[in-house]
């Protein structure tokens, strides 16, 4: 089965899980934008459009119980609001962005450096960064970087496993992609954290299996790492000539050997689709 067929089959069977607001659902829908960016097929935009219109009202309020409780999974899905506002120009999405940002302000303790988890880092910080860049004159960049510095200290103290490292790298590269390069000192600090973590991780790459820690790292973790590497290469954060082949090898290994396993693991689907989207964009750029 071609990968696009695999993705389409998965999405066709997918049941909207917004009521449950779990990590797997939010990750899957965020990944659809990666495929849309890569392939330009409007059916993927239509899925995002249908998904968001179910719960974003005309006045920007968010239905189905969202506004009464902070939920990092909901913030993860809300990364798509910026895309939808740009794509459609509909003011309700701009208003909804403020609703989500108010959740973050009202529950600022969730962003405490001593409390934030790696999943929260991935789900919340890229949204926070994009908001700061677009609408808040980059005023809270230092607060965002503090979250990453705390996570970085945990990683390099050996307190995190490979799956946490994958989330950390995704968080960093997604936040960097929404960060203004004009604030160079802070941008460079984030860039250096990404490079240092990746360098340490590369020591455990097993070329024969096309994965980290050989077959001991799961499909989800390898997909997250591949996504981060390829996106970083495309952004110029790391040298494409040196690192792109590693990300490509991981994605191709997953495509050739692991599709059935991925389909059976809801947590792996979103990272894999995201990694494949970056893979396809890199391929198009290389062939251009």
């Amino acid at each position: 089965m071609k990968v696009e067929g695999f993705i389409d089959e998965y999405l066709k069977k997918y049941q909207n899980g917004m009521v449950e607001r779990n990590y797997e659902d939010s990750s899957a829908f965020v990944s659809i934008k990666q495929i849309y960016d890569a392939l330009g097929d409007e059916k993927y935009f239509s899925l995002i459009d249908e998904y968001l219109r179910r719960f974003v009202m005309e006045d920007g309020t968010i239905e189905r119980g969202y506004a009464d409780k902070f939920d990092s999974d909901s913030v993860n899905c809300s990364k798509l609001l910026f895309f939808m506002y740009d794509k459609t120009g509909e003011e309700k999405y701009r208003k909804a962005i403020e609703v989500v940002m108010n959740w973050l302000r009202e529950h600022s303790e969730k962003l405490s450096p001593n409390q934030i988890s790696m999943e929260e880092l991935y789900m919340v910080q890229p949204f926070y960064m994009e908001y700061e860049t677009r609408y808040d004159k980059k005023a809270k960049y230092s607060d965002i970087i503090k979250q990453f510095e705390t996570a970085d200290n945990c990683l390099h103290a050996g307190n995190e496993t490979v799956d946490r490292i994958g989330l950390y790298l995704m968080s960093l590269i997604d936040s960097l992609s929404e960060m203004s390069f004009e604030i160079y000192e802070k941008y460079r600090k984030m860039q250096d954290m990404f490079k240092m973590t990746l360098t340490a991780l590369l020591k455990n790459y097993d070329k024969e299996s096309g994965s980290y820690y050989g077959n001991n790292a799961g499909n989800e973790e390898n997909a997250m790492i591949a996504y981060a590497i390829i996106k970083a290469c495309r952004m110029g954060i790391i040298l494409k000539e040196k690192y792109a082949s590693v990300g490509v090898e991981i994605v191709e290994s997953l495509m050739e050997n692991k599709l059935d396993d991925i389909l059976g693991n809801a947590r792996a689907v979103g990272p894999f689709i995201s990694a494949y989207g970056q893979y396809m964009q890199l391929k198009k750029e290389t062939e251009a």
Side-chain angles (χ1 to χ4, degrees):
M1 182 190 301
K2 293 178 65 175
V3 177
E4 285 90 344
F6 157 81
I7 294 170
D8 289 347
E9 185 67 20
Y10 176 82
L11 294 175
K12 185 167 68 175
K13 294 178 179 178
Y14 185 84
Q15 297 298 313
N16 182 6
M18 285 300 295
V19 173
E20 298 179 5
R21 297 183 294 186
N22 58 54
Y23 168 80
E24 292 84 353
D25 294 326
S26 61
S27 177
F29 266 87
V30 168
S31 73
I32 296 173
K33 181 181 178 294
Q34 299 290 332
I35 295 298
Y36 175 73
D37 289 342
L39 304 179
D41 192 326
E42 289 300 314
K43 69 184 176 185
Y44 297 116
F45 169 74
S46 295
L47 282 168
I48 297 171
D49 183 47
E50 179 186 358
Y51 179 62
L52 290 180
R53 288 185 189 279
R54 292 181 184 181
F55 65 94
V56 179
M57 302 297 102
E58 287 302 318
D59 63 355
T61 56
I62 300 176
E63 293 219 329
R64 290 182 146 176
Y66 273 64
D68 63 356
K69 181 181 177 183
F70 175 87
D71 187 310
S72 55
D73 295 305
S74 304
V75 179
N76 192 29
C77 296
S78 299
K79 297 171 187 175
L80 296 170
L81 293 171
F82 297 101
F83 164 68
M84 285 298 292
Y85 182 50
D86 290 343
K87 178 80 172 175
T88 69
E90 294 184 37
E91 195 62 24
K92 71 175 185 177
Y93 293 116
R94 174 68 183 92
K95 293 175 182 177
I97 290 167
E98 290 298 335
V99 169
V100 177
M101 196 62 214
N102 283 333
W103 294 345
L104 298 185
R105 292 189 184 105
E106 292 167 6
H107 298 270
S108 57
E109 71 276 5
K110 289 285 185 177
L111 302 179
S112 166
N114 296 321
Q115 294 178 353
I116 194 166
S117 69
M118 285 293 177
E119 284 191 353
E120 288 173 333
L121 196 79
Y122 162 66
M123 291 188 281
V124 172
Q125 298 306 311
F127 178 94
Y128 193 8
M129 183 70 83
E130 188 161 6
Y131 183 89
E132 287 300 313
T133 301
R134 289 184 180 230
Y135 305 124
D136 200 31
K137 300 180 181 179
K138 314 167 187 68
K140 303 296 193 304
Y141 272 18
S142 294
D143 292 346
I144 296 169
I145 291 172
K146 284 179 184 177
Q147 307 296 329
F148 283 106
E149 287 176 330
T150 299
D152 189 71
N153 290 335
C154 290
L155 286 171
H156 294 289
N159 297 333
E160 299 287 351
T161 58
V162 67
D163 60 319
R164 304 298 92 182
I165 296 173
L167 279 168
Y168 176 67
L169 287 173
M170 287 180 73
S171 306
L172 268 172
I173 203 61
D174 283 352
S175 296
L176 273 163
S177 70
E178 306 304 337
M179 190 176 189
S180 173
F181 184 75
E182 295 171 357
I183 315 298
Y184 180 73
E185 181 181 351
K186 291 181 171 58
Y187 189 93
R188 179 60 184 269
K189 182 175 288 189
M190 295 270 285
Q191 185 179 36
D192 287 347
M193 284 190 281
F194 183 92
K195 289 180 177 179
M196 184 169 67
T197 303
L198 181 61
T199 298
L201 191 62
L202 282 171
K203 296 175 182 177
N204 296 299
Y205 179 64
D206 179 42
K207 187 175 178 64
E208 183 175 345
S209 66
S211 69
Y212 285 85
Y213 298 92
N215 291 317
N216 293 322
N219 300 324
E220 176 192 4
E221 293 78 23
N222 279 300
M224 289 189 291
I225 292 164
Y227 168 84
I229 290 173
I230 296 174
K231 187 171 182 178
C233 288
R234 295 183 57 243
M235 289 173 58
I237 299 295
I238 54 178
L239 288 174
K240 188 181 297 186
E241 296 80 5
K242 183 175 181 180
Y243 295 102
S245 61
V246 177
V248 167
E249 285 171 4
I250 298 171
V251 174
E252 290 182 347
S253 177
L254 292 172
M255 288 163 55
E256 292 168 9
N257 305 309
K258 302 291 185 177
L259 282 184
D260 289 340
D261 292 341
I262 292 168
L263 187 59
N265 179 1
R267 289 185 64 91
V269 173
F272 171 74
I273 295 175
S274 291
Y276 181 72
Q278 288 295 319
Y279 168 86
M280 289 301 295
Q281 289 186 75
L282 177 67
K283 189 174 180 181
K284 286 168 64 176
E285 291 165 0
T286 302
E287 294 172 351

